Amino acid sequence: MENLRIPGPTPCPPEVLQAMTKQMIDHRGSEFVKILNRVTDKLKQVFMTKNDVFVLTGSGTGGMEAAVVNTLSPGDKVLAVSIGSFGDRFASIAKTFGADIIPMNVEWGKAADPDAIRRALQTDGKIKAVLVTHNETSTGVTNDLATISRVVKEFEKLLLVDTISGMSSIKCPVDEWHLDVAISGSQKGWMVPPGLVFVSVSPEAWKAHAIAKMPRAYWDFTQAKRYLERGQTPWTPAVSVVFAMDVALDLMFKEGLANIFARHARVGKAARAGVKSLGLSLFADEKYASDTVTAVTASERLDVRGLRRILREEHKVVLAGGQGKIEEKIFRIGHLGWVTEGDIATVISALKVALPQAGFVRAK
Ligand SMILES: *Cc1c(COP(=O)(O)O)cnc(C)c1O
């Protein structure tokens, strides 16, 4: 079996995979109603929210589109805080649907500066919403969302948050931080295959929804809410992935959320220490380094593609490359969901052997 260490899809425990072999049931029948209600209630516990939470069928990006089209109108001014390729994607989706984007592009590897966000909101009183990535998977950086949300709420703006690779693994309390829409996807830290995206919707987001004019059909929150009142989804859901979520959430509560967050903190720390022990450097500002994904800077001589091939073929360790403009400049170790410190030790041992083969010469 491969040691799959990319930031999603992530490995799934056997119980979760087993749940997916269950025969299909009627998605409008009473058994599914019970399962969907149960999964939704459990999700609310992880999101730490009393807000509505919807289980939508689609990938994380679909959830980002849902957040945008359900709360905004064409022409709305939106501050799009981007610290990497997923932040860029969020901005691009909003732009596609006609939002007037005010970009705040932070140097990749760095976290967003809450004071800069405050200045931007002070400068332009017409900004309606702020888009922000909680955990930027492309650079391995976790934003200080607690402080950012405090700033955004000083100005009473709508806060739409991509926590696709954060929620479930890093604490992200939706109510305490007043996140209006928070998004996460099943294939990241939830230990479940791809196919579902979860979104929470605050009362403020519902107010915005009531007047939001961007076109929407599949992702319409009004439909999602109407159907969830009967324990259903508007369209056919990924039934097997819902079965998997039900089991995975039970595993999560058995471990305990606080223990899960602590395990990710330990694993993240082990990954960073391991990488540095090999003479490599972290791409992310270490103060904001993510506990779910570690981005490693490739030195001049290191051939990232070659390194990943050697790791995959000779060590059965699968790591991710970089994305966008830093594709060949970094590689990434995913450590979210079903992961232990032992898994990271295996990755570091494999790297130790593979690095010199890929041209890496340790600096003196
Ligand atoms: C994975 C990821 C996405 C995109 O999710 P898809 O399921 O690939 O559409 C968006 N944002 C972040 C931060 C991610 O990690």
Side-chain angles (χ1 to χ4, degrees):
M1 206 176 66
E2 277 180 341
N3 192 355
L4 182 66
R5 293 298 153 207
I6 63 173
T10 63
C12 307
E15 302 94 309
V16 173
L17 295 178
Q18 188 62 37
M20 295 203 42
T21 66
K22 254 178 64 134
Q23 184 55 274
M24 283 303 100
I25 58 171
D26 176 9
H27 68 298
R28 307 262 177 239
S30 61
E31 188 185 352
F32 191 77
V33 166
K34 282 197 204 100
I35 297 172
L36 184 66
N37 284 336
R38 195 157 72 216
V39 166
T40 304
D41 285 343
K42 289 188 277 197
L43 278 167
K44 286 184 188 183
Q45 290 180 53
V46 182
F47 275 61
M48 301 182 183
T49 189
K50 293 194 169 65
N51 290 345
D52 291 302
V53 171
F54 299 124
V55 174
L56 310 173
T57 292
S59 87
T61 307
M64 295 160 80
E65 180 173 319
V68 167
V69 299
N70 275 287
T71 58
L72 298 171
S73 299
D76 279 350
K77 275 200 175 182
V78 173
L79 179 65
V81 181
S82 176
I83 65 167
S85 96
F86 289 111
D88 286 358
R89 185 181 299 182
F90 215 175
S92 148
I93 291 168
K95 188 164 183 255
T96 300
F97 285 93
D100 180 3
I101 296 296
I102 300 171
M104 177 177 284
N105 294 322
V106 177
E107 186 192 334
W108 288 24
K110 300 253 184 313
D113 173 10
D115 288 329
I117 295 173
R118 177 180 287 110
R119 283 194 298 275
L121 293 173
Q122 268 162 352
T123 305
D124 192 337
K126 290 218 173 69
I127 292 171
K128 174 166 180 183
V130 178
L131 308 182
V132 66
T133 316
H134 177 207
N135 184 76
E136 179 50 77
T137 317
S138 69
T139 60
V141 172
T142 306
N143 271 320
D144 177 3
L145 189 56
T147 307
I148 292 171
S149 76
R150 217 173 304 128
V151 169
V152 171
K153 289 303 165 184
E154 271 171 36
F155 295 85
E156 297 179 358
K157 306 299 181 187
L158 207 60
L159 180 55
L160 311 183
V161 178
D162 168 359
T163 179
I164 291 174
S165 62
M167 185 70 79
S168 76
S169 314
I170 303 172
K171 191 174 173 186
C172 184
V174 163
D175 288 358
E176 189 185 326
W177 290 352
H178 306 284
L179 312 182
D180 292 305
V181 180
I183 311 146
S184 188
S186 58
Q187 82 276 26
K188 303 290 171 113
W190 303 89
M191 311 183 289
V192 166
L196 296 176
V197 57
F198 319 115
V199 294
S200 63
V201 184
S202 75
E204 285 308 308
W206 280 118
K207 270 187 219 157
H209 176 76
I211 54 166
K213 292 200 169 53
M214 280 186 184
R216 53 184 177 264
Y218 183 81
W219 299 120
D220 193 348
F221 286 166
T222 295
Q223 297 282 0
K225 189 172 173 70
R226 184 177 302 151
Y227 277 83
L228 188 60
E229 278 160 12
R230 305 179 229 148
Q232 293 182 16
T233 55
W235 338 112
T236 312
V239 171
S240 305
V241 193
V242 178
F243 292 158
M245 269 310 283
D246 194 22
V247 170
L249 284 159
D250 286 344
L251 291 175
M252 287 175 68
F253 292 127
K254 205 165 138 198
E255 181 176 357
L257 291 181
N259 293 330
I260 292 173
F261 303 147
R263 173 167 55 82
H264 282 85
R266 284 198 308 275
V267 162
K269 201 170 160 193
R272 294 187 290 275
V275 159
K276 287 193 285 186
S277 77
L278 298 170
L280 291 163
S281 47
L282 301 173
F283 182 73
D285 175 353
E286 196 162 354
K287 195 165 166 243
Y288 297 97
S290 166
D291 286 333
T292 64
V293 54
T294 295
V296 184
T297 307
S299 66
E300 295 283 294
R301 288 170 301 271
L302 177 59
D303 165 22
V304 169
R305 227 182 264 272
L307 175 71
R308 290 175 55 223
R309 182 176 44 73
I310 294 164
L311 286 169
R312 192 174 60 240
E313 289 175 1
E314 295 177 22
H315 303 272
K316 292 194 183 334
V317 167
V318 182
L319 301 186
Q323 277 173 295
K325 63 186 181 192
I326 53 170
E327 195 177 341
E328 298 294 313
K329 297 201 167 66
I330 65 163
F331 64 90
R332 293 172 300 152
I333 307 168
H335 36 81
L336 64 175
W338 196 39
V339 59
T340 62
E341 285 153 291
D343 295 320
I344 297 307
T346 305
V347 170
I348 300 300
S349 305
L351 272 171
K352 196 167 187 171
V353 179
L355 276 166
Q357 292 173 279
F360 176 70
V361 182
R362 196 176 173 148
K364 291 287 176 312

